[in-house]
Amino acid sequence: MKKNFIEELRWRGMLHDAMPGTEEQLNKEMTVGYIGFDPTADSIHIGNLATLMMLKHLQMAGHKPVALVGGATGMVGDPSGKSAERNLLDVTTLRKNEKAIGEQLAKFLDFDCGENSAELLNNYDWFGPMNFLDFLRDVGKHITVNYMTAKDSVKKRLETGLSFTEFSYQLLQGYDFAWLNKNKNCKLQMGGSDQWGNITTGTELIRRMGGGNAFAVTCPLITKSDGSKFGKSEGGNVWLDPKRTSPYKFYQFWLNVDDAQTSRLMRVFTLLDQATIEQHEADYANDPRMLKKILAEEITRMVHSQEELERAQKASGLLFGKSTLDDFESTDEATLMDVFEGLPKKNFTQSEFNAFGNTIDLIAAAMTENPDKPVSKGEVRRLIKNNGVKINQKTVTKDQSEAKPNFKLLKGKFLLIKKGRTYFLVTVGIVQRAAEVTV
């Protein structure tokens, strides 16, 4: 039995607004619905992922999803939710971004399942051949300036300045809906709640151009507990592209979300059903870490793969688990750099490294973060006497400490020193920013 799409969104907390008659339309027949994706980057980030999940649920409910890459509208820029006009990208960059996003969308939607197979379209295909006079005559005459300026996305920007380019965006997006309605029998547009004004312009344009009824559904914008934008880490956006955000960092992001948000995020960003989620919540009511682990596993597996999930989990245990030298050596260098990010680092040139007379000197230098307060050799000797120092996961012996350093460099360039629960990283010939992480 197919799911009721609106009910599915409702229990997941993914329903913000729906035009009257939307649920009746979806219950009546298989309905074509679309969401637009802005190609201003060569990847979707997790801030966009909630709307992509709407398309996924639409298809799972037996309807036909259309993913529209805004090759034309991406050249203009949507003012919704923006305080200033964006820099416009050149055509070559936009085309490159469109291709990359299309490949990501294909991981979520089924493009070969019969009647409700997903479809990927680019609005440059219909805007490209259209000239400005045709647009004004055939489209612009149907929507008044009064109607357009009444939209919140426009009103908020009129005070600070809004170019005609951005002002026209809602009309361009509206025509997307009208074109899809006429040519693809598309009757539903979806998006984030900040898109309500643009979407309803489309339904109004369809009505005025004689296309009949059209419908709209939006989901709430996902924010952090403090109200700030969700989808960013300290390093910026969390992307779906593994070249931008590694699977390890992606996995770690979900492990570190606020405890209070875990249940909501599990409903929005996973395909687990209601009974399963509620059972997890009951089982781990007193163990939020376990609930976040399930969340991180589900999303990382869906976005990347089971194999990448297992690699991310293995990498997560390098510093915090019982790892061996072989575990570090078998991890690719890019992931290792992510794992080492935040550790206090000391870089030595090859000649500086070779100049250390014994391992005690090396350890003291590596552990000294403030040159005005150097770690004493006596302190290092006491630590080693008490088996308190490891290099590359092996305890440093007294004999090793007095001898010239003779340790195999990880990947030919790293030494990992551990004092108690604190790690220090020595790099040979690589400059890295210093910080400290205690485990």
Side-chain angles (χ1 to χ4, degrees):
M1 182 179 177
K2 300 292 185 182
K3 296 179 180 179
N4 180 302
F5 176 61
I6 297 298
E7 282 301 318
E8 186 75 14
L9 295 187
R10 187 173 285 121
W11 79 258
R12 288 183 181 274
M14 295 175 67
L15 184 63
H16 187 272
D17 279 308
M19 287 186 68
T22 301
E23 191 164 6
E24 290 79 3
Q25 166 61 35
L26 291 165
N27 290 337
K28 181 176 67 174
E29 61 186 359
M30 186 195 77
T31 301
V32 180
Y34 93 96
I35 291 178
F37 294 90
D38 194 353
T40 49
D42 62 358
S43 176
I44 296 170
H45 56 76
I46 62 174
N48 311 128
L49 188 54
T51 52
L52 178 51
M53 294 302 291
M54 291 177 77
L55 271 187
K56 179 69 173 177
H57 288 300
L58 183 76
Q59 186 170 41
M60 292 175 68
H63 302 289
K64 182 179 178 67
V66 171
L68 179 66
V69 178
T73 45
M75 299 175 71
V76 174
D78 181 5
S80 301
K82 309 295 189 302
S83 59
E85 187 158 357
R86 296 182 305 190
N87 294 325
L88 304 183
L89 301 180
D90 61 83
V91 174
T92 302
T93 301
L94 284 167
R95 297 294 92 81
K96 173 178 172 288
N97 293 350
E98 292 157 22
K99 183 176 183 296
I101 290 173
E103 291 171 354
Q104 289 181 342
L105 295 174
K107 296 178 67 174
F108 289 82
L109 304 173
D110 191 339
F111 288 81
D112 187 24
C113 61
E115 188 181 19
N116 72 320
S117 293
E119 196 166 351
L120 179 64
L121 299 173
N122 185 335
N123 64 9
Y124 192 80
D125 292 341
W126 50 88
F127 277 118
M130 180 182 288
N131 64 49
F132 183 62
L133 293 177
D134 287 341
F135 183 76
L136 291 178
R137 182 192 63 193
D138 298 335
V139 182
K141 69 179 182 181
H142 293 289
I143 301 293
T144 67
V145 171
N146 288 346
Y147 179 89
M148 296 174 70
T149 54
K151 301 291 185 180
D152 287 342
S153 60
V154 173
K155 285 194 293 186
K156 291 177 182 177
R157 287 286 302 281
L158 286 176
E159 298 175 2
T160 58
L162 179 70
S163 71
F164 176 78
T165 301
E166 283 193 306
F167 177 65
S168 67
Y169 187 93
Q170 66 170 289
L171 199 54
L172 296 175
Q173 184 172 326
Y175 184 67
D176 279 341
F177 199 177
W179 189 95
L180 291 168
N181 178 262
K182 180 180 179 180
N183 295 276
K184 298 291 182 177
N185 193 32
C186 180
K187 296 182 179 179
L188 174 66
Q189 184 181 172
M190 301 176 292
S193 58
D194 61 338
Q195 290 295 309
W196 183 256
N198 290 341
I199 295 173
T200 53
T201 295
T203 62
E204 182 66 11
L205 186 60
I206 289 170
R207 186 184 67 80
R208 295 187 184 189
M209 294 177 71
N213 292 327
F215 304 93
V217 172
T218 59
C219 66
L221 296 180
I222 310 300
T223 58
K224 295 181 181 179
S225 297
D226 61 4
S228 62
K229 188 174 182 180
F230 182 79
K232 289 181 178 288
S233 66
E234 290 183 1
N237 282 322
V238 178
W239 303 92
L240 271 59
D241 186 338
K243 295 189 294 294
R244 282 177 168 262
T245 300
S246 70
Y248 167 77
K249 277 191 171 182
F250 187 87
Y251 179 71
Q252 289 294 320
F253 174 84
W254 298 102
L255 287 179
N256 290 290
V257 297
D258 292 342
D259 291 354
Q261 283 196 294
T262 308
S263 290
R264 183 189 183 200
L265 298 177
M266 192 170 286
R267 285 163 169 75
V268 173
F269 292 108
T270 80
L271 294 173
L272 296 177
D273 60 35
Q274 187 172 6
T276 301
I277 290 176
E278 291 176 350
Q279 186 62 57
H280 286 322
E281 291 169 339
D283 290 344
Y284 304 112
N286 298 316
D287 189 0
R289 291 178 301 174
M290 188 62 197
L291 204 59
K292 287 193 286 189
K293 183 174 183 291
I294 294 170
L295 171 71
E297 288 174 349
E298 290 292 328
I299 302 178
T300 305
R301 183 186 298 112
M302 179 175 62
V303 170
H304 295 293
S305 68
Q306 177 65 31
E307 181 181 11
E308 291 296 344
L309 167 62
E310 291 171 1
R311 287 178 181 172
Q313 290 175 318
K314 178 182 176 183
S316 295
L318 289 177
L319 296 181
F320 310 115
K322 295 180 180 180
S323 54
T324 66
L325 182 62
D326 287 342
D327 292 326
F328 282 92
E329 286 288 9
S330 63
T331 302
D332 65 275
E333 188 173 327
T335 300
L336 272 185
M337 294 307 296
D338 286 340
V339 172
F340 293 154
E341 185 178 19
L343 296 183
K345 298 176 177 68
K346 280 295 179 69
N347 179 67
F348 302 108
T349 64
Q350 188 68 58
S351 59
E352 288 173 335
F353 184 74
N354 293 338
F356 284 112
N358 56 52
T359 300
I360 290 175
D361 292 342
L362 168 64
I363 294 172
M367 287 169 43
T368 296
E369 297 182 75
N370 184 348
D372 295 330
K373 296 180 180 179
V375 173
S376 71
K377 296 179 184 179
E379 180 182 349
V380 174
R381 284 192 177 93
R382 285 192 296 273
L383 288 168
I384 292 172
K385 182 180 180 180
N386 294 320
N387 297 322
V389 180
K390 290 184 177 182
I391 292 182
N392 292 348
Q393 305 300 80
K394 292 185 177 181
T395 301
V396 178
T397 65
K398 183 178 184 299
D399 289 344
Q400 287 176 317
S401 69
E402 301 292 346
K404 196 171 179 64
N406 186 28
F407 302 92
K408 179 183 178 183
L409 296 175
L410 293 170
K411 303 294 184 183
K413 63 188 74 173
F414 305 120
L415 278 181
L416 194 62
I417 299 175
K418 186 180 181 183
K419 179 196 74 171
R421 294 175 61 82
T422 301
Y423 283 96
F424 302 84
L425 182 69
V426 169
T427 67
V428 180
I430 303 174
V431 178
Q432 296 287 348
R433 179 176 59 86
E436 180 167 344
V437 169
T438 301
V439 298

